[in-house]
Amino acid sequence: MLLDKPNTLEINDQRLWDTLMVSATIGPGKSTGLRRLALSDEDKKMRDQFVRWCVTAGCKIAIDRVGNIFARRDGQDASLSPVLMGSHLDTQIAGGKYDGILGVLSGLEVIRTLNDRNIETRRPIEVVCWTNEEGVRFQPPMMGAGAFAGAHEIDWVLSQTDDEGIVFGEELQRIGYAGETDRNPADIDSYFELHIEQGPILEEEGIDVGIVTGGFTSFGAQLIMKGEHAHSGPTTMKQRKDALVGAAVIVAKVNEIGWDYEPKGRATCARIDVSPNKYGIIADHAEVTIDVRHPDPDLADEMYQKALALIPVASKQANVEIALVKEWSFGNVGFNPDMVNLIRSVASDLEVPHKHLLSAAGHDAYHLSEIAPTAMIFTPCKGGVSHNENEHIERSYTIPGVNVLLNAVLRRANS
Amino acid sequence: MLLDKPNTLEINDQRLWDTLMVSATIGPGKSTGLRRLALSDEDKKMRDQFVRWCVTAGCKIAIDRVGNIFARRDGQDASLSPVLMGSHLDTQIAGGKYDGILGVLSGLEVIRTLNDRNIETRRPIEVVCWTNEEGVRFQPPMMGAGAFAGAHEIDWVLSQTDDEGIVFGEELQRIGYAGETDRNPADIDSYFELHIEQGPILEEEGIDVGIVTGGFTSFGAQLIMKGEHAHSGPTTMKQRKDALVGAAVIVAKVNEIGWDYEPKGRATCARIDVSPNKYGIIADHAEVTIDVRHPDPDLADEMYQKALALIPVASKQANVEIALVKEWSFGNVGFNPDMVNLIRSVASDLEVPHKHLLSAAGHDAYHLSEIAPTAMIFTPCKGGVSHNENEHIERSYTIPGVNVLLNAVLRRANS
């Protein structure tokens, strides 16, 4: 298991792959991917499997009030704060088999490899599964990590509901992951997150490891349009207050903003809700979410201001009132330089080709970076495709990154 | 009850109003209107009430396989085909208390008035409630009248499903209106439909009765956009195939076509369905309905061609495939000149101010006009508002039109 480089370890990549393939059977999607929504029966089944694996690997399990799972491998000095590594096991509605999952199961593989070699570390090491990273069923995304890092009140998280009105806290009880652990977030040493890139750069450039130095700055907003019911036949264009038209103008023009900032900027309205949304009747109510992202925080802000400037335009065009009811922002983080340097020096020692990247997606690591030294490792994925059942990685894409994780965690845990 | 004009009768307007107010309590909406969707419990309750009223008025009830209710007052000569009058008792999700309902209950009032005066007619007279005119829960609109007139196969109608997958035929059984009457549509003499205008002209011009000579030509279409799931963060604008953007471009630009044909033309997309429709994931599927209407058939066709020409535009802009999956058209009808002349001459005899109009909305009468001499009477409504809980009429708006209906039906039934 020793690499032929001095003082470096190597994972059991067959075991990691087999573990991933077990996960790939839990909550199958329509075609080749997964549909394992947060706090669903499938999420419970995967959590149960993950806990069994961790217990078998000798870990102690702790579950906090929002369902985050911490599996600890003790260190030599119990008074030292632990090194954490992890990601999430939930998926999108039509998600892939690796997004998030790879980060958790890589953490498990790190612990298994240390066990294989009976290696003790000074600090405890923990692999973490954060609850509801995807934000599909319950909003916002990165919910469990956010609650852990103090960005959200626990009770607020527990009171959130899905589109069917099911309450987060009740669903967490139902699946048996409403824990009681109340840990101090200041008591962690550091956090590593390995994740597929969800972008095409590493694969295109033939580079094994992306060292993530920070995130795209992302701004989000939710708009509500208030129109008026009317019959689509006799109602003249001038008489109309069409909420769907207001929303459509926003969606189409937000997309144009994205094109104005190609290739680095992205602008999306991914969700629209319209009422009554029936043939023959003009909608009196519509909602849209806006999502703009750019690696340059100033340009991200510029894009967001342009998106907000569409509100009076759409309001006039559709003769509707438009209210900005919610705003959020994430990703404007720079990861800890010591952690970035540690990953880079491990990658160099292992002679793994690597480069610095920014992440365009949201990650649990963003929240962790607010409370502890944090960094991320990206590994390649086919065509940059994710949030799609066709998300795919080759085994060879993954091994170098997980080896970097293993050795970086080991060094940090002995520091 | 005799008007001071020779040979004319007058309805009991207090009784008509009281009857309308009973209907107004069945399936109340959120504020002042009604929500009485086709084949719902509320629809059943209203149908039961209507049948009781008709039976009390001495009518024989027949119900056909799609749930249309025919209440017959016998004539002197049973060998003669009947004069029909009616409309529908179902409403929009947030509909008014008069749309359609007034037409059915006016028919009942005609029968009650004839009963009051012991007037016999040569032909039988029937008041009809057509099933599912609104097309909210089950599509298409004007379903029952269309099935009666042979525009739809009965078995096809019975197999339609609502958004929850509930089957029309099963729901009709459930509410007890799956009848067995199988009447020959050729065996009716004529059809009268009284309806609120659903437009502002009569009220604005202070005219009591609109004599409807035909309909706006209406074209409808359903489009499906096929995009691809992708993450809204890492996916560059160039990589996207965003089904929601394709749909939004259609919605916004169809609205512009309407403005190009103001004030007579109207263009609407009233319904959009998007999947997965979640924050953070680009939609792979979207559907929209297009609805364009113009009194001039050539201009309606021109508008519709412009709407279809948006397909390649939106397809290119959103990088999605767009399929035209359904098309329909209605309203390009001219009502029977004898029937129009009869209504006009009755209105003149009654000294009721009247004018010719086209209807911009769909009506059961369009289907009936394919099988029998048909015409419509419009009465004013406040501000032209309908398909809205604020739909309103004054009692005084209604009386002249129902008196015209009464006397026109009487003359036709004695012809």
Side-chain angles (χ1 to χ4, degrees):
Chain A
M1 292 287 189
L2 275 173
L3 290 175
D4 52 4
K5 325 275 171 344
N7 301 318
T8 57
L9 286 174
E10 195 176 3
I11 59 157
N12 181 336
D13 64 273
Q14 180 64 49
R15 179 173 57 196
L16 172 58
W17 195 257
D18 292 345
T19 305
L20 276 167
M21 290 306 105
V22 172
S23 154
T25 65
I26 300 174
K30 279 191 185 167
S31 56
T32 64
L34 287 174
R35 180 190 174 115
R36 197 157 73 201
L37 301 190
L39 312 195
S40 64
D41 290 348
E42 294 77 22
D43 190 18
K44 173 191 168 49
K45 195 171 167 196
M46 183 65 223
R47 286 165 170 262
D48 290 349
Q49 175 64 73
F50 172 65
V51 168
R52 280 195 301 274
W53 280 329
C54 292
V55 169
T56 303
C59 295
K60 291 177 194 142
I61 306 296
I63 297 164
D64 70 11
R65 288 183 61 209
V66 297
N68 297 318
I69 306 171
F70 304 87
R72 172 184 288 230
R73 182 178 192 267
D74 283 335
Q76 292 161 333
D77 187 343
S79 74
L80 292 177
S81 55
V83 175
L84 267 56
M85 54 191 174
S87 192
H88 60 96
L89 294 170
D90 68 319
T91 79
Q92 286 280 334
I93 281 188
K97 302 191 282 271
Y98 310 103
D99 174 347
I101 300 160
L102 179 64
V104 180
L105 300 185
S106 292
L108 175 61
E109 177 55 33
V110 166
I111 286 178
R112 287 169 165 175
T113 301
L114 296 178
N115 289 347
D116 289 343
R117 305 195 59 80
N118 295 315
I119 292 171
E120 291 196 345
T121 54
R122 282 185 67 230
R123 295 181 179 278
I125 294 175
E126 297 186 21
V127 52
V128 191
C129 163
W130 303 109
T131 297
N132 186 31
E133 193 271 349
E134 293 290 5
V136 178
R137 224 187 127 187
F138 299 97
Q139 283 78 44
M142 301 166 272
M143 207 183 218
F148 180 74
H152 313 304
E153 292 287 343
I154 307 281
D155 289 334
W156 178 84
V157 167
L158 297 178
S159 72
Q160 295 308 295
T161 53
D162 70 9
D163 286 351
E164 275 71 51
I166 299 174
V167 180
F168 184 98
E170 293 172 10
E171 197 67 347
L172 197 60
Q173 287 277 0
R174 184 185 72 82
I175 67 163
Y177 282 86
E180 290 178 354
T181 296
D182 183 17
R183 66 193 296 182
N184 184 350
D187 284 347
I188 71 168
D189 168 72
S190 54
Y191 176 67
F192 290 88
E193 183 166 349
L194 181 141
H195 205 284
I196 61 168
E197 181 196 348
Q198 305 182 283
I201 299 169
L202 295 177
E203 190 194 45
E204 274 173 18
E205 300 185 6
I207 291 172
D208 291 328
V209 159
I211 301 168
V212 187
T213 55
F216 275 45
T217 298
S218 304
F219 289 99
Q222 188 183 7
L223 305 183
I224 295 187
M225 344 271 137
K226 197 175 166 303
E228 209 171 282
H229 289 142
H231 191 305
S232 64
T235 312
T236 66
M237 302 308 291
K238 271 190 189 146
Q239 291 169 326
R240 295 173 177 217
K241 298 179 177 179
D242 190 329
L244 172 51
V245 168
V249 168
I250 297 281
V251 173
K253 288 188 184 290
V254 162
N255 185 64
E256 290 172 15
I257 292 172
W259 280 96
D260 290 343
Y261 289 81
E262 253 277 311
K264 291 184 174 172
R266 291 99 209 247
T268 316
C269 297
R271 178 167 183 157
I272 186 169
D273 290 283
V274 180
S275 166
N277 204 34
K278 297 288 181 185
Y279 176 79
I281 182 160
I282 288 165
D284 69 329
H285 180 94
E287 302 187 21
V288 284
T289 55
I290 293 174
D291 170 356
V292 301
R293 308 187 189 203
H294 200 288
D296 179 331
D298 290 339
L299 292 181
D301 185 61
E302 195 176 290
M303 291 175 77
Y304 185 56
Q305 295 311 320
K306 287 187 182 177
L308 294 184
L310 297 174
I311 294 176
V313 175
S315 170
K316 196 177 165 197
Q317 216 158 318
N319 193 22
V320 294
E321 289 169 30
I322 303 183
L324 174 64
V325 293
K326 213 188 274 184
E327 292 183 280
W328 59 91
S329 179
F330 62 81
N332 187 9
V333 297
F335 286 136
N336 180 280
D338 291 343
M339 293 285 282
V340 169
N341 289 338
L342 170 58
I343 293 170
R344 189 175 53 232
S345 96
V346 168
S348 295
D349 291 350
L350 268 57
E351 292 172 14
V352 169
H354 56 277
K355 73 177 288 181
H356 285 184
L357 284 178
L358 287 176
S359 170
H363 291 293
D364 295 312
Y366 294 172
H367 283 302
L368 273 294
S369 74
E370 299 290 330
I371 55 165
T374 293
M376 291 188 74
I377 296 166
F378 272 178
T379 57
C381 63
K382 199 161 167 61
V385 172
S386 77
H387 286 198
N388 184 310
E389 292 206 27
N390 293 318
E391 178 191 286
H392 183 68
I393 61 175
E394 301 293 335
R395 265 170 78 160
S396 60
Y397 285 6
T398 302
I399 303 166
V402 186
N403 279 327
V404 169
L405 175 71
L406 166 64
N407 289 282
V409 165
L410 185 58
R411 290 193 199 173
R412 181 84 192 190
N414 284 329
S415 67
Chain B
M1 289 285 187
L2 277 173
L3 291 174
D4 52 6
K5 325 278 170 337
N7 302 318
T8 56
L9 286 173
E10 195 175 1
I11 59 157
N12 181 336
D13 64 274
Q14 180 65 48
R15 178 173 58 195
L16 172 59
W17 195 257
D18 291 345
T19 305
L20 276 166
M21 290 307 106
V22 172
S23 155
T25 64
I26 300 174
K30 279 190 185 165
S31 56
T32 63
L34 287 175
R35 179 191 176 114
R36 198 158 72 201
L37 301 190
L39 313 195
S40 64
D41 291 347
E42 294 77 21
D43 189 17
K44 174 190 167 49
K45 197 171 166 195
M46 184 63 223
R47 285 165 172 263
D48 291 350
Q49 175 66 74
F50 172 64
V51 168
R52 280 196 301 274
W53 280 329
C54 292
V55 169
T56 303
C59 295
K60 290 177 197 143
I61 305 296
I63 298 164
D64 69 12
R65 289 182 59 210
V66 298
N68 296 319
I69 306 172
F70 304 87
R72 170 185 287 233
R73 183 177 191 268
D74 284 334
Q76 291 160 332
D77 186 345
S79 72
L80 293 176
S81 55
V83 174
L84 267 56
M85 55 192 172
S87 190
H88 60 96
L89 295 169
D90 68 318
T91 79
Q92 286 280 335
I93 281 187
K97 300 191 284 271
Y98 310 103
D99 175 345
I101 300 159
L102 179 63
V104 180
L105 300 185
S106 292
L108 175 62
E109 177 56 33
V110 166
I111 287 177
R112 287 169 166 176
T113 301
L114 297 179
N115 288 348
D116 289 343
R117 305 194 60 80
N118 295 314
I119 293 173
E120 291 196 346
T121 52
R122 279 187 69 230
R123 295 180 177 278
I125 293 174
E126 297 186 21
V127 52
V128 190
C129 164
W130 303 108
T131 297
N132 186 31
E133 193 272 348
E134 293 291 5
V136 178
R137 225 188 127 185
F138 300 96
Q139 283 78 44
M142 300 166 274
M143 207 184 219
F148 180 74
H152 314 305
E153 293 285 341
I154 306 281
D155 289 336
W156 178 85
V157 167
L158 297 177
S159 71
Q160 296 308 297
T161 53
D162 70 8
D163 286 352
E164 275 71 50
I166 299 174
V167 181
F168 184 98
E170 293 172 11
E171 199 66 347
L172 196 60
Q173 286 278 358
R174 185 184 72 81
I175 67 163
Y177 282 86
E180 291 178 354
T181 296
D182 184 16
R183 65 193 295 182
N184 184 349
D187 285 347
I188 71 168
D189 168 72
S190 54
Y191 177 66
F192 290 88
E193 183 166 349
L194 180 143
H195 204 284
I196 61 168
E197 181 196 349
Q198 304 183 285
I201 298 169
L202 295 176
E203 190 193 44
E204 275 173 19
E205 302 184 5
I207 290 173
D208 291 326
V209 159
I211 301 168
V212 187
T213 55
F216 274 45
T217 298
S218 303
F219 290 98
Q222 189 182 7
L223 304 182
I224 295 186
M225 345 269 137
K226 197 173 168 305
E228 207 172 284
H229 289 143
H231 191 306
S232 65
T235 312
T236 65
M237 302 309 291
K238 273 189 189 146
Q239 292 168 326
R240 295 173 178 216
K241 297 177 178 180
D242 191 329
L244 173 51
V245 169
V249 169
I250 297 281
V251 173
K253 287 189 185 291
V254 162
N255 186 63
E256 290 173 14
I257 292 172
W259 279 96
D260 290 343
Y261 289 80
E262 252 276 311
K264 290 186 176 171
R266 292 98 208 245
T268 318
C269 296
R271 177 164 186 161
I272 185 169
D273 290 283
V274 180
S275 166
N277 205 33
K278 296 288 182 186
Y279 176 77
I281 183 160
I282 289 165
D284 70 329
H285 180 93
E287 303 186 20
V288 282
T289 55
I290 293 173
D291 170 356
V292 300
R293 310 187 188 202
H294 200 288
D296 179 331
D298 291 339
L299 292 180
D301 185 61
E302 194 176 290
M303 291 175 77
Y304 185 55
Q305 295 310 321
K306 286 188 182 176
L308 294 184
L310 296 174
I311 294 176
V313 175
S315 170
K316 196 177 165 198
Q317 215 158 319
N319 192 21
V320 294
E321 289 169 30
I322 304 182
L324 175 63
V325 294
K326 211 188 276 183
E327 291 183 282
W328 59 90
S329 178
F330 62 79
N332 187 8
V333 295
F335 286 135
N336 180 279
D338 291 342
M339 294 284 283
V340 168
N341 288 339
L342 169 58
I343 293 170
R344 190 177 51 232
S345 95
V346 168
S348 294
D349 289 351
L350 267 57
E351 292 171 15
V352 169
H354 57 275
K355 74 178 289 181
H356 286 185
L357 283 178
L358 286 176
S359 171
H363 291 293
D364 296 311
Y366 293 174
H367 283 301
L368 273 294
S369 73
E370 298 290 329
I371 54 164
T374 293
M376 293 188 73
I377 296 166
F378 272 177
T379 57
C381 63
K382 201 164 164 59
V385 172
S386 77
H387 287 198
N388 185 310
E389 292 207 27
N390 292 319
E391 178 192 286
H392 183 69
I393 61 175
E394 301 293 335
R395 268 171 75 160
S396 59
Y397 286 6
T398 301
I399 303 165
V402 186
N403 279 327
V404 169
L405 176 71
L406 166 64
N407 290 282
V409 166
L410 184 59
R411 289 192 200 174
R412 181 85 193 186
N414 283 327
S415 67

